[in-house]
Amino acid sequence: MSLAAQFTAGNNSVSFNPTGISVQAGGTATSAMTVVAAKNASIGTYNIIVTGTSAVGRRVVSSSAMFTVMVNPLADFGLYAYPYTINVVAGMTNSTSIILDSKNGFVGSVTLSATIPFGFLGVMGGQNPVSVSAVARTYTSLQVSATDSTLLGRYNITITGASGTVSHSCILTVNVVDPVPESLTLSGSSLLSSTSMTMSLRNNGNTPITLQSYTVTDISGDQWILANWTSPTVLPGTTSAAVIYIGASCEACTYNGIFGLFQEFVPGHTYTITITTKLQNQFTFNVTA
């Protein structure tokens, strides 16, 4: 007996293994039917008519049966970088998020890889492979670093996620830029106590600024100096609060001036505060207590 199939509609295919079977009188025989839906097949329900034909003597006999096939969406995943464009200062590192989300109920493990152009760029990822669930987006990180020798300019990094035979890619654009000179401005200040004040410092450059020391000078030239300052690192484009201590609040400070003349901040008086960064750049501000 030979087997044949016909779809009533749709772009799909059917195969049998074996395509011909022998059936003994009163017996049964088995053939496996495989249905393949084309990639462009429409989602929906289809009918398949399977016909078995056999020659019995001079007669040809046949019998048919109908099967129903449901074509479902292909389980898949999406892959994105956000932000998809980042700036990396030569000699430093920046990062972006790699986002994976399930489509049509995809659940599985996705292995990530990156294709990096020549130019002294380096990448370091977070979790890999990434387990993707059907109920929530999954995030991992990608750090991109540039050396001092990296040529300034734009680079494209191709990020690929693969799971079995399914793979997707996205492009991360990296702009390698030259570091600009440190730029620190005063956004505001307030008196915390008679021996402490807070300064709001904004980093207007594109590299982190580490504060190393400060000098507080009164109108008479008397000074409090803190040479080893444990202070916050001000990140590019952000404002951080730095606390300035003098007198009894600063045991590590040294005093330079007339003994006992400058021991506290006096409200309404103006003081000159000079801040020195780790790169030995100095920024001077006139601050009123």
Side-chain angles (χ1 to χ4, degrees):
M1 178 184 294
S2 61
L3 299 173
Q6 178 185 0
F7 271 92
T8 57
N11 184 16
N12 303 288
S13 63
V14 178
S15 62
F16 298 94
N17 186 21
T19 56
I21 56 176
S22 297
V23 183
Q24 301 297 324
T28 60
T30 301
S31 178
M33 181 175 70
T34 302
V35 181
V36 178
K39 289 185 177 181
N40 61 349
S42 300
I43 308 304
T45 302
Y46 298 88
N47 293 324
I48 304 174
I49 300 173
V50 177
T51 302
T53 304
S54 178
V56 180
R58 295 183 178 181
R59 292 187 306 136
V60 176
V61 295
S62 65
S63 180
S64 299
M66 180 177 289
F67 298 87
T68 300
V69 175
M70 174 70 74
V71 176
N72 296 314
L74 178 67
D76 203 350
F77 63 89
L79 174 68
Y80 319 93
Y82 185 81
Y84 53 85
T85 299
I86 60 174
N87 292 332
V88 179
V89 178
M92 304 192 70
T93 299
N94 200 357
S95 63
T96 189
S97 294
I98 305 302
I99 305 171
L100 297 104
D101 57 7
S102 172
K103 295 182 178 180
N104 303 324
F106 176 89
V107 175
S109 180
V110 177
T111 300
L112 299 174
S113 61
T115 303
I116 311 163
F118 176 77
F120 302 99
L121 285 178
V123 298
M124 183 172 63
Q127 176 189 355
N128 191 23
V130 181
S131 296
V132 178
S133 70
V135 295
R137 284 184 168 180
T138 304
Y139 297 81
T140 187
S141 63
L142 182 72
Q143 292 183 328
V144 182
S145 59
T147 71
D148 293 329
S149 302
T150 303
L151 296 177
L152 305 183
R154 175 173 294 183
Y155 299 85
N156 286 332
I157 296 177
T158 302
I159 302 161
T160 302
S163 179
T165 60
V166 180
S167 67
H168 295 286
S169 297
C170 66
I171 300 295
L172 170 66
T173 299
V174 178
N175 297 310
V176 179
V177 297
D178 203 11
V180 301
E182 290 183 327
S183 174
L184 201 62
T185 55
L186 180 66
S187 298
S189 64
S190 62
L191 198 62
L192 298 177
S193 71
S194 61
T195 54
S196 63
M197 121 179 356
T198 183
M199 301 174 63
S200 296
L201 300 173
R202 180 168 181 81
N203 181 352
N204 299 306
N206 62 3
T207 59
I209 297 178
T210 300
L211 311 180
Q212 181 168 282
S213 63
Y214 65 75
T215 299
V216 183
T217 307
D218 69 0
I219 195 172
S220 301
D222 305 299
Q223 293 182 330
W224 285 98
I225 303 169
L226 181 59
N228 296 306
W229 187 17
T230 303
S231 65
T233 295
V234 188
L235 298 178
T238 67
T239 300
S240 294
V243 180
I244 305 294
Y245 297 100
I246 65 169
S249 295
C250 188
E251 296 181 0
C253 289
T254 57
Y255 179 71
N256 182 20
I258 298 175
F259 179 77
L261 186 61
F262 177 27
Q263 298 298 314
E264 295 181 345
F265 290 117
V266 178
H269 285 207
T270 299
Y271 301 88
T272 300
I273 300 177
T274 299
I275 293 175
T276 303
T277 71
K278 188 177 181 179
L279 297 181
Q280 298 304 306
N281 292 314
Q282 289 189 335
F283 299 91
T284 300
F285 308 101
N286 291 321
V287 181
T288 301

